[in-house]
Amino acid sequence: MVFILYLAIILIATKVAGALSVRLGQPAVLGKLLAGIIIGPAVLGWVQPDDFIGHFSEIGVLLLMFIAGLETDLEQLKSNWKASFAVAVGGIILPFVGGYAIAAAFGLSNNEALFLGLLLCATSVSISVQTLKEMNKLQTREGTTILGAAVVDDVIVVVLLAVMMSVLVPAQDVSIGLLIGKKLLFFIIVVAAGWLLVPRFLKWFAPLRVTEAVMSGGLIICFAFSYFAEEMGIAGIIGAFAAGIAVSQTSYKHEVESKIEPIAYTLFVPVFFVSIGLHITFDGVGEQLLFIVLVTLVASITKLLGGGLGARMTGFDRRGSIAIGAGMVSRGEVALIIAAAGLESGLLLQKYFTSVVLVVILTTLITPPLLKLTFKEREQA
């Protein structure tokens, strides 16, 4: 029954920490992330990472991205595709170069430096989504561009990871053509399903004489799209986001959204925020403190500049470009997955694994206050 205690601790810690964060003028999500560090193994040790936390947090991030899809303006997303692509590419090139350079400066091998560069290319939009939502900026042109860029970034980085594993790890035998084909097939099927199947499914499912049929139908679509994305080698959050967009084009959008949000933000999303902090441990950090600080700085600055440059080249003003770059800084769970793959394949040494995880979490902690600052400056201007 320890998981019941974990839930109680997580819920009270995230709500109190979120409220304190708002009082201090920061987004509530920053307090929730810090709560995970405080109640986790790094400080108090009240909550330990386990399968229960893992499963709940995965549902939490899927629901978070499903809600983001529901609230996304599809027409604005279409009109900003060039900007999203430019932001994604800029946010890959500069972090890759910066990551490779800093790894080489610390004496890592060529293969290890290439992998660290690729790891810093990742972007996880889930934290940015929550921050933008709190600031009512999710449906702005900047918010939509960040969402689109994160999707493009995820696809490109996954393909590059497969290429790198096949070239640098002798045991890996990956067909690049098959890999790219699966990504294209995913988007073709998702677009077709969102256009043809989702409206028909909800129209059939909604009248069923059972409790909360519409909300259940929305969850079925969310989880089905997420599972399909994982099977096709794409992060499940992309599938959840696509499911949200598909449902948003139906007449059931507002009913699904109004009933999903209480479940997500009451239980599952708080567990997701806490789970990020649970990965932190300070064992042996002192020996690699310089490495952690410098890699965090490189990861943050290159993503900010790369994403911002892409936005600037596609018509955004200076402050809008900086805000978009700030929204791309968080590496989150996507980079943690890549780090685990690198550790397993030998491209990331065990002694650097904890330090890299800390870098990923630090970039995630930086993002909420950075987003709030950049958007505030833009509004004042």
Side-chain angles (χ1 to χ4, degrees):
M1 292 293 287
V2 70
F3 71 92
I4 299 294
L5 178 61
Y6 281 177
L7 270 182
I9 293 171
I10 287 170
L11 292 178
I12 191 170
T14 51
K15 299 308 175 185
V16 171
L20 287 173
S21 185
V22 171
R23 282 196 173 191
L24 294 172
Q26 296 299 323
V29 65
L30 177 62
K32 295 172 184 177
L33 291 168
L34 292 173
I37 299 173
I38 294 169
I39 65 175
V43 183
L44 298 176
W46 290 349
V47 178
Q48 301 295 326
D50 57 16
D51 289 341
F52 161 74
I53 297 292
H55 295 322
F56 258 59
S57 66
E58 191 168 345
I59 294 171
V61 72
L62 292 180
L63 293 179
L64 188 62
M65 293 307 297
F66 180 58
I67 293 168
L70 284 169
E71 297 183 355
T72 297
D73 186 333
L74 187 58
E75 292 304 315
Q76 193 172 77
L77 191 64
K78 289 178 182 176
S79 65
N80 285 336
W81 74 267
K82 290 182 180 178
S84 294
F85 187 82
V87 170
V89 171
I92 286 175
I93 293 174
L94 284 189
F96 184 82
V97 173
Y100 181 88
I102 193 71
F106 274 92
L108 274 69
S109 69
N110 185 62
N111 288 1
E112 292 160 1
L114 285 170
F115 181 80
L116 184 63
L118 178 64
L119 188 144
L120 297 190
C121 295
T123 288
S124 175
V125 76
S126 53
I127 302 301
S128 297
V129 161
Q130 181 60 26
T131 308
L132 291 169
K133 188 175 171 63
E134 287 181 22
M135 298 190 299
N136 292 318
K137 301 296 181 185
L138 190 58
Q139 296 182 24
T140 61
R141 188 181 173 212
E142 289 81 4
T144 306
T145 301
I146 291 169
L147 278 170
V151 172
V152 175
D153 183 291
D154 181 72
V155 174
I156 294 175
V157 168
V158 168
V159 171
L160 290 176
L161 176 64
V163 172
M164 186 174 290
M165 299 282 277
S166 65
V167 173
L168 302 183
V169 183
Q172 295 285 333
D173 185 17
V174 180
S175 170
I176 306 304
L178 178 62
L179 191 81
I180 296 174
K182 286 174 72 175
K183 306 294 179 288
L184 290 174
L185 184 62
F186 166 78
F187 285 104
I188 291 170
I189 292 176
V190 160
V191 169
W195 180 38
L196 298 172
L197 297 181
V198 168
R200 288 175 170 81
F201 172 75
L202 286 176
K203 193 173 181 180
W204 166 76
F205 202 82
L208 295 181
R209 300 181 67 179
V210 291
T211 55
E212 304 297 352
V214 173
M215 187 182 71
S216 299
L219 286 175
I220 290 168
I221 294 166
C222 171
F223 295 145
F225 274 46
S226 301
Y227 178 78
F228 179 58
E230 292 282 355
E231 287 295 301
M232 300 300 282
I234 294 177
I237 57 175
I238 304 302
F241 179 63
I245 291 178
V247 174
S248 75
Q249 303 308 300
T250 71
S251 59
Y252 302 100
K253 170 187 174 178
H254 297 295
E255 185 176 354
V256 172
E257 185 179 352
S258 65
K259 292 183 176 179
I260 290 287
E261 283 195 356
I263 293 176
Y265 288 107
T266 300
L267 186 59
F268 294 101
V269 173
V271 177
F272 163 64
F273 290 139
V274 164
S275 71
I276 296 174
L278 296 183
H279 286 91
I280 281 193
T281 173
F282 297 123
D283 294 340
V285 168
E287 300 172 5
Q288 296 185 11
L289 191 59
L290 182 63
F291 176 84
I292 293 167
V293 171
L294 291 180
V295 175
T296 301
L297 287 173
V298 168
S300 303
I301 293 169
T302 54
K303 202 67 159 177
L304 181 68
L305 292 178
L309 184 61
R312 190 75 169 133
M313 291 171 62
T314 49
F316 285 89
D317 60 25
R318 182 174 64 84
R319 287 184 172 85
S321 300
I322 294 172
I324 289 170
M328 300 294 288
V329 169
S330 172
R331 299 322 198 268
E333 72 283 351
V334 176
L336 292 176
I337 292 168
I338 294 174
L343 182 65
E344 186 178 347
S345 64
L347 292 175
L348 179 61
L349 298 179
Q350 178 68 50
K351 69 175 183 177
Y352 287 112
F353 180 73
T354 299
S355 298
V356 166
V357 169
L358 278 170
V359 169
V360 170
I361 293 173
L362 286 171
T363 62
T364 303
L365 291 171
I366 288 168
T367 300
L370 191 60
L371 265 175
K372 182 157 188 177
L373 178 65
T374 53
F375 270 96
K376 185 176 180 180
E377 287 184 352
R378 187 174 183 278
E379 287 176 350
Q380 289 174 343

